[in-house]
Amino acid sequence: MEEASLKIFQSQVLLPFSLSDGSMHAFLGPFSNPSKKKTHNDLLPEDDSTLPFVYSPTIDLYLFSDTTKMCRAFPPPKDKHIQWLERIEALKQSIWKEAGIFNFVQLSKYDLNVFDPQMLLSAIFFWNRETRAFEFPCGFVCPTLLDIAAITGLKPLGDRYLPDTLEEEILMIETSIVWDKKTYSAFVSAHHSEEGTPVTDSEHIVFLLYWLSACVFCTPSLQVPKYYYTLAQALHLKKKDLLE
Protein backbone atom coordinates (compact mmCIF):
# COMPACT_ATOMS: atom_id res chain seq x y z
CA MET A 1 0.00 0.00 0.00
CA GLU A 2 1.06 3.59 -0.57
CA GLU A 3 2.12 5.44 2.56
CA ALA A 4 -0.86 7.82 2.44
CA SER A 5 -3.33 4.95 2.07
CA LEU A 6 -1.65 3.04 4.87
CA LYS A 7 -2.06 5.98 7.26
CA ILE A 8 -5.77 6.12 6.45
CA PHE A 9 -6.17 2.41 7.08
CA GLN A 10 -4.24 2.59 10.35
CA SER A 11 -6.44 5.39 11.63
CA GLN A 12 -9.69 3.64 10.79
CA VAL A 13 -9.25 -0.14 10.85
CA LEU A 14 -7.25 -2.73 12.72
CA LEU A 15 -6.07 -5.26 10.15
CA PRO A 16 -5.59 -4.21 6.53
CA PHE A 17 -4.30 -7.01 4.30
CA SER A 18 -4.31 -8.01 0.65
CA LEU A 19 -5.15 -11.35 -0.94
CA SER A 20 -3.23 -13.05 -3.74
CA ASP A 21 -5.59 -11.50 -6.32
CA GLY A 22 -4.63 -8.01 -5.11
CA SER A 23 -7.95 -7.21 -3.41
CA MET A 24 -7.75 -5.31 -0.13
CA HIS A 25 -9.62 -6.27 3.03
CA ALA A 26 -9.70 -5.04 6.60
CA PHE A 27 -11.36 -6.09 9.84
CA LEU A 28 -12.18 -4.62 13.22
CA GLY A 29 -11.27 -0.99 13.56
CA PRO A 30 -10.09 1.42 14.63
CA PHE A 31 -6.63 1.00 16.12
CA SER A 32 -6.48 1.74 19.82
CA ASN A 33 -4.61 4.89 20.74
CA PRO A 34 -1.59 3.86 22.87
CA SER A 35 -1.19 7.44 24.18
CA LYS A 36 -4.77 7.59 25.47
CA LYS A 37 -5.17 6.72 29.13
CA LYS A 38 -7.25 3.60 29.54
CA THR A 39 -10.31 3.48 31.78
CA HIS A 40 -9.59 1.93 35.17
CA ASN A 41 -11.39 -1.35 35.75
CA ASP A 42 -11.59 -2.93 39.23
CA LEU A 43 -13.52 -6.00 38.11
CA LEU A 44 -10.91 -7.17 35.58
CA PRO A 45 -7.55 -5.77 36.72
CA GLU A 46 -4.97 -5.33 34.00
CA ASP A 47 -1.52 -6.86 33.86
CA ASP A 48 0.92 -4.85 31.76
CA SER A 49 2.98 -7.98 31.11
CA THR A 50 0.09 -9.72 29.32
CA LEU A 51 -1.39 -7.12 27.01
CA PRO A 52 -3.59 -8.43 24.22
CA PHE A 53 -2.12 -8.96 20.77
CA VAL A 54 -3.54 -5.67 19.48
CA TYR A 55 -0.82 -3.84 21.45
CA SER A 56 1.95 -5.69 19.67
CA PRO A 57 4.10 -3.31 17.58
CA THR A 58 4.08 -5.85 14.75
CA ILE A 59 1.20 -8.09 13.71
CA ASP A 60 2.02 -11.30 11.88
CA LEU A 61 -0.67 -12.04 9.30
CA TYR A 62 0.80 -15.40 8.36
CA LEU A 63 -2.28 -17.19 9.72
CA PHE A 64 -4.38 -15.51 7.04
CA SER A 65 -2.51 -17.34 4.29
CA ASP A 66 -4.27 -20.66 4.89
CA THR A 67 -7.70 -20.94 6.48
CA THR A 68 -8.48 -24.45 5.24
CA LYS A 69 -7.71 -25.99 8.64
CA MET A 70 -9.80 -23.58 10.69
CA CYS A 71 -11.98 -25.43 13.21
CA ARG A 72 -10.69 -28.75 11.86
CA ALA A 73 -11.38 -30.44 15.20
CA PHE A 74 -15.12 -29.93 14.69
CA PRO A 75 -16.65 -32.61 12.43
CA PRO A 76 -18.49 -31.40 9.31
CA PRO A 77 -22.28 -31.94 9.49
CA LYS A 78 -22.45 -34.39 6.63
CA ASP A 79 -21.97 -38.02 5.70
CA LYS A 80 -21.42 -40.37 8.64
CA HIS A 81 -21.59 -37.73 11.38
CA ILE A 82 -25.01 -36.34 10.52
CA GLN A 83 -26.44 -39.75 9.62
CA TRP A 84 -25.52 -41.19 13.01
CA LEU A 85 -26.76 -38.09 14.83
CA GLU A 86 -30.15 -38.20 13.12
CA ARG A 87 -30.49 -41.94 13.73
CA ILE A 88 -29.91 -41.54 17.48
CA GLU A 89 -32.02 -38.37 17.69
CA ALA A 90 -35.07 -40.06 16.15
CA LEU A 91 -35.28 -42.50 19.07
CA LYS A 92 -33.47 -40.80 21.95
CA GLN A 93 -34.44 -37.14 21.72
CA SER A 94 -36.79 -37.50 24.69
CA ILE A 95 -33.79 -38.44 26.84
CA TRP A 96 -31.86 -35.44 25.49
CA LYS A 97 -34.73 -33.12 26.40
CA GLU A 98 -34.98 -34.52 29.93
CA ALA A 99 -31.22 -34.23 30.35
CA GLY A 100 -31.34 -30.65 29.04
CA ILE A 101 -28.96 -31.17 26.09
CA PHE A 102 -31.36 -31.34 23.13
CA ASN A 103 -30.70 -27.78 21.93
CA PHE A 104 -26.97 -28.23 22.53
CA VAL A 105 -26.90 -31.32 20.30
CA GLN A 106 -28.61 -29.36 17.51
CA LEU A 107 -25.54 -27.11 17.26
CA SER A 108 -23.51 -30.05 15.95
CA LYS A 109 -25.65 -30.08 12.82
CA TYR A 110 -24.11 -26.81 11.65
CA ASP A 111 -20.83 -26.45 9.85
CA LEU A 112 -18.46 -23.98 11.50
CA ASN A 113 -16.96 -23.27 8.07
CA VAL A 114 -19.96 -21.05 7.31
CA PHE A 115 -18.40 -18.47 9.64
CA ASP A 116 -15.79 -16.06 8.33
CA PRO A 117 -12.44 -17.55 9.41
CA GLN A 118 -10.58 -14.30 8.83
CA MET A 119 -12.98 -12.45 11.10
CA LEU A 120 -12.39 -15.09 13.77
CA LEU A 121 -8.64 -14.66 13.42
CA SER A 122 -9.01 -10.89 13.66
CA ALA A 123 -10.85 -11.22 16.96
CA ILE A 124 -7.89 -13.13 18.42
CA PHE A 125 -5.83 -9.94 18.45
CA PHE A 126 -8.12 -8.50 21.13
CA TRP A 127 -7.97 -11.55 23.42
CA ASN A 128 -6.10 -11.36 26.70
CA ARG A 129 -5.23 -14.77 28.08
CA GLU A 130 -4.88 -13.50 31.65
CA THR A 131 -8.26 -11.78 31.98
CA ARG A 132 -10.00 -14.24 29.60
CA ALA A 133 -11.63 -11.27 27.94
CA PHE A 134 -11.51 -9.19 24.77
CA GLU A 135 -9.99 -5.77 25.45
CA PHE A 136 -11.40 -2.99 23.30
CA PRO A 137 -10.86 0.77 23.60
CA CYS A 138 -14.35 0.93 25.13
CA GLY A 139 -13.44 -1.60 27.82
CA PHE A 140 -13.58 -5.33 28.52
CA VAL A 141 -15.90 -7.73 26.72
CA CYS A 142 -16.15 -11.36 27.78
CA PRO A 143 -18.66 -14.21 27.56
CA THR A 144 -20.88 -14.76 30.58
CA LEU A 145 -22.75 -17.75 31.92
CA LEU A 146 -25.93 -16.25 30.46
CA ASP A 147 -24.26 -16.14 27.03
CA ILE A 148 -23.38 -19.83 27.31
CA ALA A 149 -26.90 -20.64 28.46
CA ALA A 150 -28.40 -18.76 25.51
CA ILE A 151 -26.15 -20.51 22.97
CA THR A 152 -26.22 -24.06 24.33
CA GLY A 153 -29.53 -24.19 26.17
CA LEU A 154 -27.75 -25.40 29.32
CA LYS A 155 -28.67 -23.87 32.67
CA PRO A 156 -25.83 -22.26 34.66
CA LEU A 157 -26.91 -24.16 37.78
CA GLY A 158 -26.20 -27.53 39.33
CA ASP A 159 -23.39 -29.45 40.99
CA ARG A 160 -19.87 -29.44 39.65
CA TYR A 161 -19.14 -32.43 37.43
CA LEU A 162 -16.10 -34.39 38.60
CA PRO A 163 -15.38 -37.32 36.27
CA ASP A 164 -12.99 -38.96 38.70
CA THR A 165 -15.65 -39.28 41.40
CA LEU A 166 -18.58 -40.46 39.28
CA GLU A 167 -18.94 -44.23 39.30
CA GLU A 168 -19.57 -46.39 36.26
CA GLU A 169 -23.12 -47.59 36.76
CA ILE A 170 -23.00 -49.07 33.27
CA LEU A 171 -19.59 -50.67 32.95
CA MET A 172 -17.53 -49.51 29.99
CA ILE A 173 -16.80 -53.09 29.02
CA GLU A 174 -20.54 -53.72 28.60
CA THR A 175 -20.84 -51.12 25.86
CA SER A 176 -18.41 -53.01 23.59
CA ILE A 177 -16.51 -49.90 22.53
CA VAL A 178 -13.89 -50.54 19.84
CA TRP A 179 -10.98 -48.58 21.26
CA ASP A 180 -8.59 -49.32 18.41
CA LYS A 181 -10.86 -47.14 16.22
CA LYS A 182 -10.54 -43.85 18.12
CA THR A 183 -10.31 -41.25 15.33
CA TYR A 184 -13.63 -39.53 14.74
CA SER A 185 -14.39 -41.05 11.34
CA ALA A 186 -13.24 -44.55 12.30
CA PHE A 187 -15.15 -44.37 15.60
CA VAL A 188 -18.40 -43.49 13.85
CA SER A 189 -17.93 -46.26 11.28
CA ALA A 190 -17.22 -48.83 13.99
CA HIS A 191 -20.24 -48.01 16.16
CA HIS A 192 -22.94 -46.74 13.78
CA SER A 193 -25.45 -49.61 13.61
CA GLU A 194 -27.47 -50.30 10.48
CA GLU A 195 -30.48 -48.12 9.75
CA GLY A 196 -33.78 -49.71 10.73
CA THR A 197 -32.32 -51.51 13.74
CA PRO A 198 -33.15 -50.44 17.33
CA VAL A 199 -30.86 -47.97 19.05
CA THR A 200 -29.54 -49.80 22.09
CA ASP A 201 -28.45 -48.16 25.34
CA SER A 202 -24.87 -49.04 24.46
CA GLU A 203 -25.04 -47.32 21.08
CA HIS A 204 -26.60 -44.26 22.70
CA ILE A 205 -23.82 -44.01 25.29
CA VAL A 206 -21.18 -44.51 22.61
CA PHE A 207 -22.74 -41.76 20.47
CA LEU A 208 -22.78 -39.36 23.43
CA LEU A 209 -19.13 -40.21 24.09
CA TYR A 210 -18.32 -39.32 20.48
CA TRP A 211 -20.43 -36.14 20.59
CA LEU A 212 -18.74 -34.93 23.78
CA SER A 213 -15.29 -35.56 22.29
CA ALA A 214 -15.87 -34.17 18.81
CA CYS A 215 -18.51 -31.48 19.24
CA VAL A 216 -18.32 -30.22 22.83
CA PHE A 217 -14.70 -30.49 23.97
CA CYS A 218 -13.15 -30.77 20.46
CA THR A 219 -10.27 -32.96 21.59
CA PRO A 220 -6.96 -31.76 20.08
CA SER A 221 -5.99 -35.32 19.18
CA LEU A 222 -9.10 -35.64 16.96
CA GLN A 223 -9.78 -38.91 18.78
CA VAL A 224 -12.39 -40.18 21.23
CA PRO A 225 -10.82 -40.66 24.70
CA LYS A 226 -12.09 -42.82 27.55
CA TYR A 227 -12.03 -39.80 29.86
CA TYR A 228 -15.55 -38.64 28.95
CA TYR A 229 -17.23 -42.03 29.34
CA THR A 230 -18.69 -41.32 32.79
CA LEU A 231 -20.17 -38.04 31.54
CA ALA A 232 -21.70 -39.82 28.52
CA GLN A 233 -23.18 -42.39 30.89
CA ALA A 234 -24.59 -39.63 33.12
CA LEU A 235 -26.25 -37.99 30.10
CA HIS A 236 -27.78 -41.32 29.11
CA LEU A 237 -29.11 -41.80 32.66
CA LYS A 238 -30.51 -38.24 32.62
CA LYS A 239 -28.54 -37.12 35.67
CA LYS A 240 -29.41 -33.53 35.01
CA ASP A 241 -27.93 -32.04 38.21
CA LEU A 242 -24.47 -33.21 37.17
CA LEU A 243 -24.68 -31.79 33.66
CA GLU A 244 -25.62 -28.15 34.13
Side-chain angles (χ1 to χ4, degrees), residues 11-29:
S11 65
Q12 298 177 1
V13 298
L14 174 62
L15 292 174
F17 66 96
S18 61
L19 299 179
S20 57
D21 61 3
S23 59
M24 292 298 301
H25 297 266
F27 296 101
L28 295 179

Side-chain angles (χ1 to χ4, degrees), residues 148-168:
I148 302 302
I151 294 171
T152 65
L154 300 177
K155 296 180 181 179
L157 303 170
D159 297 330
R160 184 177 181 182
Y161 168 69
L162 298 173
D164 296 331
T165 60
L166 189 64
E167 296 181 359
E168 288 185 17

Side-chain angles (χ1 to χ4, degrees), residues 2-3 22 27 40 50 65-66 80-81 87 101 106 108 117 120 126 158 197 207 224 233 239:
E2 296 181 358
E3 183 177 356
F27 296 101
H40 179 69
T50 58
S65 62
D66 182 13
K80 299 176 182 179
H81 166 79
R87 164 181 161 78
I101 63 169
Q106 303 311 301
S108 56
L120 292 176
F126 288 101
T197 60
F207 169 79
V224 177
Q233 169 202 255
K239 293 194 173 184

Side-chain angles (χ1 to χ4, degrees), residues 10 12 92 98 101-102 105 140 204 242:
Q10 289 180 335
Q12 298 177 1
K92 298 296 184 180
E98 287 189 56
I101 63 169
F102 179 80
V105 174
F140 289 89
H204 185 220
L242 291 172

Side-chain angles (χ1 to χ4, degrees), residues 2-216:
E2 296 181 358
E3 183 177 356
S5 299
L6 182 60
K7 289 182 178 180
I8 295 175
F9 266 88
Q10 289 180 335
S11 65
Q12 298 177 1
V13 298
L14 174 62
L15 292 174
F17 66 96
S18 61
L19 299 179
S20 57
D21 61 3
S23 59
M24 292 298 301
H25 297 266
F27 296 101
L28 295 179
F31 273 107
S32 60
N33 186 352
S35 62
K36 183 178 179 181
K37 185 177 180 179
K38 301 184 66 177
T39 303
H40 179 69
N41 188 299
D42 293 323
L43 180 62
L44 294 172
E46 296 181 46
D47 182 353
D48 292 338
S49 65
T50 58
L51 292 173
F53 293 118
V54 69
Y55 291 91
S56 175
T58 59
I59 298 177
D60 184 5
L61 299 182
Y62 173 74
L63 290 175
F64 285 88
S65 62
D66 182 13
T67 59
T68 58
K69 293 184 178 180
M70 287 291 293
C71 305
R72 70 188 184 98
F74 198 89
K78 60 182 180 181
D79 303 333
K80 299 176 182 179
H81 166 79
I82 197 67
Q83 291 170 12
W84 198 22
L85 189 157
E86 291 179 343
R87 164 181 161 78
I88 303 297
E89 179 183 10
L91 298 174
K92 298 296 184 180
Q93 60 177 286
S94 60
I95 294 180
W96 296 354
K97 290 178 181 178
E98 287 189 56
I101 63 169
F102 179 80
N103 292 331
F104 198 3
V105 174
Q106 303 311 301
L107 292 177
S108 56
K109 295 181 178 180
Y110 296 93
D111 191 348
L112 289 185
N113 291 325
V114 301
F115 298 102
D116 191 326
Q118 294 175 336
M119 183 66 78
L120 292 176
L121 283 173
S122 298
I124 292 176
F125 289 97
F126 288 101
W127 183 254
N128 190 316
R129 292 177 298 178
E130 295 298 319
T131 60
R132 292 294 190 270
F134 294 98
E135 295 189 17
F136 297 105
C138 61
F140 289 89
V141 176
C142 60
T144 67
L145 289 177
L146 292 179
D147 294 322
I148 302 302
I151 294 171
T152 65
L154 300 177
K155 296 180 181 179
L157 303 170
D159 297 330
R160 184 177 181 182
Y161 168 69
L162 298 173
D164 296 331
T165 60
L166 189 64
E167 296 181 359
E168 288 185 17
E169 297 184 39
I170 302 175
L171 298 179
M172 188 185 301
I173 192 173
E174 296 178 1
T175 56
S176 302
I177 300 176
V178 183
W179 287 113
D180 61 345
K181 305 286 186 181
K182 293 191 294 185
T183 61
Y184 294 160
S185 180
F187 193 86
V188 173
S189 298
H191 300 94
H192 182 183
S193 299
E194 295 182 5
E195 297 298 330
T197 60
V199 176
T200 64
D201 289 347
S202 293
E203 185 180 0
H204 185 220
I205 293 174
V206 172
F207 169 79
L208 292 172
L209 176 60
Y210 158 75
W211 172 71
L212 288 169
S213 303
C215 305
V216 178

